[in-house]
Amino acid sequence: MSASSLPPPSAPGERPDSVLSYPKFLWSMWRLAFTGSFAYYAGMTALTAVALVGLNAWAHQLADGMVRTHMTDHVSWGLYIANFTFTVGLAAGAVMMVIPAYLYDDEEMHDVVIVGELLAVAAIVVCVGFIAVDMGRPDRMWHVIPGIGRLNWPVSMLSWDVVVLNGYLLLNLHICGYLVYMKYLRRRPNKRFYLPFVFLSIGWAISIHSVTAFLYAGLGGRPFWNSALLAPRFIVSAFITGPAFVILLLHVIRRFAPAFRVADGPIELLARVLRITILVNLFMFGSEAFTELYSGGAHHVSARYLFLGLHGKHALVPWIWTGVALNLTSAILVHLPQSRTNRTVLMAACVAAFGGVWIEKGMGLIIPGFVPSTLHEVVEYTPSLTEWKISAGIFAAGLMVLVVLLKMALPVFTGRISVARSSMTSLPPAAPSSASLLPPSSRGDVS
Amino acid sequence: MDKAKRRTLKVLGSTLGAAAFAYAIEPLRAWASDMSLGELLQKHYRELTPDEMRAVLARLEADAEAKYGREVTIEDIRPTPGVELGYALNLSVCIGCRKCAEACHVENNHDRTTNNSYIRVLEMEQGSFDLEKGTTTYDHAVPSPGKYYLPVQCQQCDNAPCVKVCPVQATWKESDGIVVVDYNWCIGCRYCEAACPYHARRFNWSKPEIPAEEINPNQSYLSNRVRPQGVVEKCTFCLHRTRKGLLPACLEACPTGARVFGNLLDPNSEIRWVLAHKRVYVLKEELGTRPRFFYYFDN
């Protein structure tokens, strides 16, 4: 945290009893999660409804088997793993905000880093959800626990994924939890208790998406994935989805939590990151498409199927060209001068980038890896209604986690809730938003 | 809004929410009723003591009878030291009749509705090894002019990608070279299915359906017992037969004698003769999987 945004250290006499203050803190957080405006209740009810629809579909899937999905022995991973892959990128990308804040010591970024880390927590929850619903036997989840189960570490890349994802979740929970609790106590956080973890989480963010890429890139029998460029592409696209989502989120926060100071600097910095990564991603995408399509041969039939269709089958063709169109649109929008002055243009660019990467990392990557199959049979896949319901349910649950986490953390960060003032009836009037959105501020320049 | 009204709304809301939750998870009752605590907490195959194994086998036999209405015997048959099993297939002789696939289906208690089998037979263009030009869905008299036939099943790779990727060690290679799956340990992630270059693994997308009278009652833990829903399975060279000195069901069913099976460590075995005297090749050698399933041509 920046020194400027911190309250002065409390006098020794006021220091609250830490044994009692932690339960008090948890109780305050609990109350914050369940108290809000009509819009908050309406939104959470809607998300709960979607999550319950997903839960119901999952219950049916568990009872009847994965036959409720449209996956087959030919295309054995589908929408769930596609969404998982995408969301790992979101989780990694969210922490990218930490890099300018801590590595380059950008003061304004410090204030919004917590938003990125909470997003990472919610995204990992979504990842774990997608893994859980993709398992044929979730009742045997304990088999991955080292000691009780038999985690195949370090040989299986999936076991690496289990380790890095859970580690990442714990890391971010610790950092966020510690900072919020210290804010709540009105104490200055001890750097020793969080700064090492912040730096660790930066490296860890890279690792979660690299390991996820190696999950696919390490399979010799799937030439479409067996590319050394896969991990770099994953990292670059994480640097798109993370900033794009955080920009959108900061706009929402400005609207619904005006007391929380969101300066223009961080938004402009994230937009600047987007301007670069969108182009790098397009370049890498083009390089891979060129290698696959130009050289031809049996190893490149998946790419042909993806972009052009194969043997009269082309279920993925509309997907990938939509993805390409979205990526190009976002690249153009984010480079228009208006993206610096016009909120709508920047938001549209973020939405397009987010959608483009979702298709490219999802249906555009996972499914063509299986088509044609290893014996070169072309069996197509389109997700079933059950798969869409469950996926929507998991995203809804993830959004709920994110909203609740923000609902808890932001009032603490704005000083409206603290150990001395945990009653919610005497809230001070909300401070006005710190500044108008744009024009850009020169602060937050990483160079 | 006053406090009392707010509280009433909250109570109403949470009641409705709890009811909706209970409704949503209702189908889980059927799922849970199919499971026992013993099954849930069962240890990995290789960690079971002989006593525990006896209890597990008894439970599995009772389960099979309760669920499928057939009395079966499930054995735990271990590999014989000094034996490494290998398979060879004569492509000059195979006519693509798919009797092997059919025999596999029956022998290994495959689901009747999906007509599953561990063997897929590709009809290939004469003069080409390009799998791209093959098809498994041919539906005409065989052999067809200008074609040859390539049956593919688990290659029991020495460097098996499926074993490497399993996150919970639910699949491994036994000392006689057979790659097996502990159906009671597999978590159903299907990473092995993605990793296998030979499309040799199958997932139980639903509970297999087999009429009681069609069930093969001679079963073993690691091979042909009826698999649970939600786990991966594969060809085991019919280890419940071959570890007792019998031949695989697919070989016995082959009308042309295209298939040769035996102990690779026995210099006098037929398979050793084939490997020594025929032009032999393996599928997708470039992947370094080192199959112990060999293809050869006459002359």
Side-chain angles (χ1 to χ4, degrees), chain A residues 413-434:
Chain A
F413 266 79
T414 51
R416 300 169 87 198
I417 304 290
S418 71
V419 69
R421 205 197 292 153
S422 59
S423 159
M424 254 154 305
T425 47
S426 57
L427 291 177
S433 183
S434 62

Side-chain angles (χ1 to χ4, degrees), chain A residues 96-109 239 265-266 268-274 276 441-447:
Chain A
M96 301 310 173
M97 311 206 338
V98 180
I99 297 177
Y102 288 93
L103 244 42
Y104 302 107
D105 218 14
D106 179 330
E107 285 288 314
E108 280 183 338
M109 278 311 268
F239 270 101
E268 180 49 32
L269 175 64
L270 292 173
R272 218 170 291 165
V273 170
L274 269 186
I276 300 162
S441 113
S442 58
R443 301 188 59 186
D445 198 332
V446 286
S447 55

Side-chain angles (χ1 to χ4, degrees), chain A residues 63-342:
Chain A
D64 300 350
M66 301 291 278
V67 70
R68 285 254 179 180
T69 72
H70 281 174
M71 289 184 268
T72 56
D73 284 324
H74 289 91
V75 185
S76 53
W77 282 341
L79 189 64
Y80 300 148
I81 295 298
N83 280 329
F84 159 77
T85 309
F86 171 77
T87 320
V88 174
L90 181 58
V95 168
M96 301 310 173
M97 311 206 338
V98 180
I99 297 177
Y102 288 93
L103 244 42
Y104 302 107
D105 218 14
D106 179 330
E107 285 288 314
E108 280 183 338
M109 278 311 268
H110 281 256
D111 297 333
V112 291
V113 155
I114 194 81
V115 174
E117 302 218 318
L118 293 176
L119 171 60
V121 170
I124 294 291
V125 170
V126 171
C127 291
V128 173
F130 276 112
I131 289 294
V133 299
D134 193 64
M135 284 169 67
R137 299 300 299 230
D139 51 307
R140 298 179 184 167
M141 192 93 88
W142 64 273
H143 292 183
V144 302
I145 302 171
I148 327 172
R150 289 171 74 103
L151 188 69
N152 190 13
W153 196 82
V155 178
S156 168
M157 286 323 290
L158 203 51
S159 68
W160 276 83
D161 225 22
V162 169
V163 172
V164 294
L165 284 177
N166 285 300
Y168 193 64
L169 181 61
L170 293 177
L171 260 181
N172 281 293
L173 278 177
H174 164 72
I175 297 168
C176 298
Y178 178 72
L179 289 181
V180 173
Y181 183 49
M182 285 301 118
K183 267 279 188 187
Y184 176 83
L185 293 182
R186 299 188 154 250
R187 269 199 237 158
R188 188 184 297 275
N190 186 338
K191 283 195 170 177
R192 277 191 312 182
F193 290 146
Y194 76 97
L195 214 51
F197 298 100
V198 168
F199 285 113
L200 187 58
S201 79
I202 296 173
W204 210 289
I206 305 284
S207 86
I208 60 166
H209 216 26
S210 301
V211 166
T212 309
F214 294 156
L215 213 79
Y216 309 110
L219 303 183
R222 304 271 173 197
F224 186 72
W225 296 337
N226 195 208
S227 153
L229 193 54
L230 206 62
R233 275 185 72 194
F234 270 42
I235 297 300
V236 167
S237 58
F239 270 101
I240 296 175
T241 47
F245 195 90
V246 172
I247 290 176
L248 294 170
L249 192 59
L250 289 178
H251 282 300
V252 175
I253 289 172
R254 272 190 172 170
R255 176 140 179 228
F256 289 100
F260 185 73
R261 200 173 72 91
V262 179
D264 289 331
I267 293 181
E268 180 49 32
L269 175 64
L270 292 173
R272 218 170 291 165
V273 170
L274 269 186
R275 284 183 194 114
I276 300 162
T277 52
I278 285 179
L279 291 186
V280 176
N281 185 50
L282 275 174
F283 174 68
M284 288 185 170
F285 180 81
S287 311
E288 284 230 282
F290 171 80
T291 322
E292 298 273 322
L293 294 174
Y294 189 81
S295 53
H299 274 198
H300 309 288
V301 279
S302 290
R304 274 216 305 280
Y305 169 73
L306 174 64
F307 288 102
L308 308 166
L310 199 66
H311 305 317
K313 296 186 173 168
H314 28 63
L316 291 182
V317 175
W319 280 96
I320 194 64
W321 289 110
T322 309
V324 170
L326 285 170
N327 279 331
L328 286 173
T329 309
S330 67
I332 294 167
L333 285 180
V334 87
H335 282 91
L336 289 178
Q338 284 87 336
S339 71
R340 292 155 201 273
T341 51
N342 187 325

Side-chain angles (χ1 to χ4, degrees), chain B:
Chain B
M1 202 184 302
D2 62 77
K3 248 185 173 168
K5 216 167 164 187
R6 207 181 163 96
R7 174 154 300 173
T8 318
L9 277 176
K10 272 190 181 177
V11 169
L12 193 71
S14 38
T15 313
L16 274 174
F21 182 80
Y23 174 81
I25 61 165
E26 212 282 325
L28 286 184
R29 227 176 328 162
W31 182 61
S33 71
D34 228 24
M35 245 183 306
S36 65
L37 195 65
E39 191 190 333
L40 189 69
L41 299 179
Q42 187 187 314
K43 289 198 279 187
H44 188 278
Y45 172 85
R46 289 193 283 188
E47 286 170 7
L48 293 170
T49 63
D51 276 346
E52 286 168 336
M53 177 56 84
R54 264 191 293 281
V56 165
L57 292 176
R59 193 193 78 226
L60 292 174
E61 286 174 349
D63 264 11
E65 194 170 357
K67 284 179 189 164
Y68 288 94
R70 177 84 194 243
E71 208 173 301
V72 302
T73 40
I74 303 179
E75 292 176 272
D76 171 36
I77 313 165
R78 304 277 165 145
T80 315
V83 172
E84 281 196 30
L85 299 167
Y87 215 141
L89 197 148
N90 188 343
L91 292 173
S92 304
V93 177
C94 175
I95 55 167
C97 66
R98 291 184 283 211
K99 291 275 185 227
C100 51
E102 207 180 299
C104 173
H105 175 74
V106 173
E107 175 69 31
N108 287 301
N109 290 313
H110 279 295
D111 179 40
R112 291 298 181 255
T113 40
T114 51
N115 198 28
N116 213 346
S117 169
Y118 295 138
I119 306 175
R120 300 180 86 75
V121 183
L122 279 95
E123 184 176 75
M124 302 282 287
E125 296 276 346
Q126 205 65 261
S128 164
F129 285 141
D130 190 353
L131 295 175
E132 184 73 13
K133 292 179 182 143
T135 169
T136 57
T137 51
Y138 58 92
D139 187 19
H140 49 71
V142 289
S144 187
K147 308 282 186 191
Y148 75 100
Y149 296 87
L150 180 71
V152 183
Q153 62 204 75
C154 176
Q155 312 280 303
Q156 316 290 358
C157 312
D158 272 334
N159 180 23
C162 54
V163 169
K164 208 156 83 176
V165 299
C166 177
V168 293
Q169 305 174 23
T171 183
W172 66 93
K173 191 172 192 67
E174 298 253 288
S175 64
D176 57 358
I178 298 178
V179 175
V180 293
V181 179
D182 183 351
Y183 310 125
N184 280 55
W185 192 259
C186 169
I187 59 173
C189 71
R190 307 186 300 291
Y191 196 14
C192 55
E193 213 174 10
C196 173
Y198 306 103
H199 195 69
R201 285 178 170 255
R202 308 281 183 274
F203 183 68
N204 286 277
W205 300 94
S206 58
K207 182 183 156 190
E209 278 172 33
I210 315 168
E213 65 278 11
E214 291 179 24
I215 286 185
N216 174 7
N218 304 317
Q219 305 178 356
S220 89
Y221 184 98
L222 289 175
S223 67
N224 65 334
R225 66 184 164 107
V226 182
R227 275 73 59 187
Q229 172 180 303
V231 305
V232 168
E233 59 176 66
K234 64 181 290 297
C235 161
T236 59
F237 279 175
C238 282
L239 65 78
H240 53 284
R241 299 169 57 98
T242 50
R243 280 181 180 173
K244 289 178 166 176
L246 300 170
L247 291 165
C250 47
L251 187 149
E252 283 197 346
C254 178
T256 63
R259 291 169 169 264
V260 176
F261 185 83
N263 182 3
L264 293 169
L265 299 182
D266 174 6
N268 300 317
S269 63
E270 193 185 351
I271 189 154
R272 281 287 291 269
W273 186 87
V274 167
L275 295 183
H277 293 91
K278 297 288 183 179
R279 288 189 296 117
V280 174
Y281 81 102
V282 294
L283 281 186
K284 304 195 184 191
E285 188 187 2
E286 72 278 11
L287 297 179
T289 53
R290 297 204 304 275
R292 52 177 67 218
F293 195 105
F294 307 94
Y295 296 90
Y296 67 100
F297 291 99
D298 277 337
N299 73 46

